[in-house]
Amino acid sequence: MSFYWPTVIGFFLGFGFGVGCALAVMYSIYMGGYRTAVKESQLPVQPERYVKALDTLRKKAH
């Protein structure tokens, strides 16, 4: 086996699994936060943190 093949395999494993797993974790964190935000927006009384974030977004929009 030459130097070329182990390098290609190592690059694929490092990039494919390393970056792929990191993106999967970031996506799951994002979706968990999105679901929580949607649930909190539907509550009869929104949490204080949600109300503050909503006010901040409204101020930035204007």
Side-chain angles (χ1 to χ4, degrees):
M1 210 190 258
S2 67
F3 176 73
Y4 179 72
W5 283 109
T7 304
V8 171
I9 292 170
F11 180 78
F12 172 74
L13 291 177
F15 185 77
F17 285 114
V19 174
C21 289
L23 289 175
V25 168
M26 290 184 343
Y27 179 74
S28 65
I29 291 170
Y30 169 76
M31 287 305 294
Y34 179 76
R35 285 187 200 108
T36 302
V38 170
K39 283 182 193 174
E40 288 181 354
S41 72
Q42 300 300 313
L43 292 173
V45 178
Q46 283 86 18
E48 184 178 337
R49 183 176 174 199
Y50 177 82
V51 173
K52 284 183 181 179
L54 198 57
D55 287 341
T56 303
L57 288 173
R58 286 184 181 143
K59 288 177 185 175
K60 287 182 180 181
H62 295 279

